[in-house]
Amino acid sequence: MPLIQWNDALSVKIDKFDDQHKKLVGLINELHTAMSQGKGKEIISHAINAMIDYTRTHFKDEEAFMKMHNYPELNAQQKAHAQFVDKVLDFKKQYETGVLTTTVQLFSFLNTWLIEHIKKSDAKYGQALANKAV
Ligand SMILES: [Fe+2]
């Protein structure tokens, strides 16, 4: 899998959330770079913790924004966000217990989930609420 390239197709047309999404893409790409240098295992714990920390802030911000504007798909977004955090926590547990020995599945999950989520779910709130962003 190649590095994720940021492009307009990923934009939700709200600068604050585009910036946060770029940061998430950056975290995933860092993991990718480490893997390609054979250092995936060394940074896996850091990568998982950084992802958990940053997505918590990001999801909270998005959900607060959706709530403020009575966005009808808030519940579905909350559910998707919670499932994502659970899955990453599960990777963390697998890593800590020695079950997870490679970064490949983690990278592939993060990569696929984030791109799909931004393009499908987040693009919708972008369309609905971009004119309300400050
Ligand atoms: Fe998002």
Side-chain angles (χ1 to χ4, degrees):
M1 260 184 193
L3 280 175
I4 307 172
Q5 300 287 347
W6 184 265
N7 61 64
D8 247 15
L10 291 171
S11 173
V12 296
K13 318 290 182 218
I14 298 173
D15 289 348
K16 175 182 177 178
F17 296 125
D18 279 349
D19 287 346
Q20 293 186 347
H21 287 153
K22 282 176 192 168
K23 166 96 181 170
L24 288 171
V25 164
L27 290 174
I28 297 174
N29 282 339
E30 266 176 41
L31 180 63
H32 184 283
T33 305
M35 284 165 65
S36 66
Q37 294 168 347
K39 292 180 182 158
K41 272 191 188 168
E42 288 167 39
I43 70 137
I44 188 164
S45 169
H46 164 79
I48 291 174
N49 287 329
M51 190 52 73
I52 291 169
D53 275 1
Y54 196 71
T55 47
R56 277 193 175 134
T57 306
H58 167 62
F59 293 156
K60 213 171 74 193
D61 282 357
E62 274 188 341
E63 289 167 15
F65 176 73
M66 291 176 207
K67 203 168 181 177
M68 187 161 71
H69 298 293
N70 294 313
Y71 181 59
E73 292 187 39
L74 171 65
N75 274 349
Q77 280 271 0
Q78 281 173 323
K79 220 177 264 176
H81 290 164
Q83 277 170 355
F84 174 85
V85 173
D86 278 355
K87 180 83 184 168
V88 181
L89 286 171
D90 191 53
F91 274 115
K92 185 179 162 87
K93 204 162 84 195
Q94 285 183 39
Y95 173 72
E96 285 167 355
T97 54
V99 179
L100 184 72
T101 53
T102 132
T103 49
V104 179
Q105 301 121 286
L106 173 66
F107 174 74
S108 140
F109 168 74
L110 294 174
N111 190 342
T112 310
W113 190 91
L114 189 72
I115 299 302
E116 291 274 295
H117 183 72
I118 293 176
K119 282 190 174 169
K120 291 184 181 157
S121 310
D122 291 353
K124 278 203 235 169
Y125 81 65
Q127 271 184 346
L129 305 175
N131 61 345
K132 299 200 164 78
V134 281

